[in-house]
Amino acid sequence: MAQAAGVARLVAVAGRRALAIGKAHGQFGGGRLVGGRGAGEPGVAAREHEADEATHAIIHKVNSSFVTPFDHGDIVELAAALDDCVDAMDAVGGMIVLYRVDELLPGVTKQVAVISRMAELTAAAMPRLRSMKDLDEYWIEINRLENQADRIYRELVAGLFNGAVTDPIEVLKHKDVIAGLESAADAF
């Protein structure tokens, strides 16, 4: 049973890592990167690296444990999914920096807020995985937020191609950022 508790603790740590990087990306404000920073800064990269380490620790613990709180494969799949969320958010931050996007489309802040909320809910749900109880509200809210993220994505793309940005290179940059945010939301 101690091994099962250890795996459950590691999964909770991975959830908190997803939350930390979600909060780091929540530094978008009013369509501009706060202080010209936020995405792609060393702190975000460090959090992404910590999330990778947490994923590796979960996989190692599961592979060396006989008793786990639930199926080995499910734990590994959950750890990989949490890592995918963090990787997607980190990729968006990197794009914003590499593409030198100074001005974000207005709806991007709404999308980031939805993703941050998804990360918060996921981190809060991790400790409940041990008993698999009281997760109904989590699933309902995550599904609602994912639907909201889909609507925001469609609105952002429509606005982008309806003249919100006119320079073709800038359109491509924003399209990549918007698509990356959609991937991050879908990863939850």
Side-chain angles (χ1 to χ4, degrees), residues 19-106:
L19 172 59
I21 201 158
K23 284 183 176 180
H25 280 77
Q27 296 173 359
F28 297 103
R32 289 186 95 37
L33 293 177
V34 176
R37 297 173 42 121
E41 72 180 35
V44 174
R47 287 185 192 99
E48 194 278 332
H49 180 70
E50 290 172 6
D52 285 342
E53 288 178 358
T55 301
H56 298 150
I58 290 168
I59 293 169
H60 175 73
K61 186 73 170 178
V62 166
N63 288 336
S64 64
S65 297
F66 182 73
V67 178
T68 59
F70 44 98
D71 182 69
H72 282 74
D74 291 341
I75 294 169
V76 170
E77 191 174 323
L78 174 61
L82 287 169
D83 187 56
D84 289 347
C85 295
V86 173
D87 288 347
M89 290 184 282
D90 184 57
V92 169
M95 273 186 255
I96 290 169
V97 171
L98 291 172
Y99 292 176
R100 295 185 178 136
V101 177
D102 291 325
E103 192 78 27
L104 297 171
L105 297 175

Side-chain angles (χ1 to χ4, degrees), residues 109-132:
T109 55
K110 288 192 286 186
Q111 189 75 313
V112 171
V114 169
I115 293 167
S116 293
R117 182 65 184 138
M118 293 170 95
E120 289 171 4
L121 289 171
T122 300
M126 292 297 111
R128 296 192 306 261
L129 288 175
R130 194 175 305 169
S131 67
M132 297 299 285

Side-chain angles (χ1 to χ4, degrees), residues 49 94 112 137 177 181:
H49 180 70
V112 171
E137 287 181 28
V177 169
L181 288 171

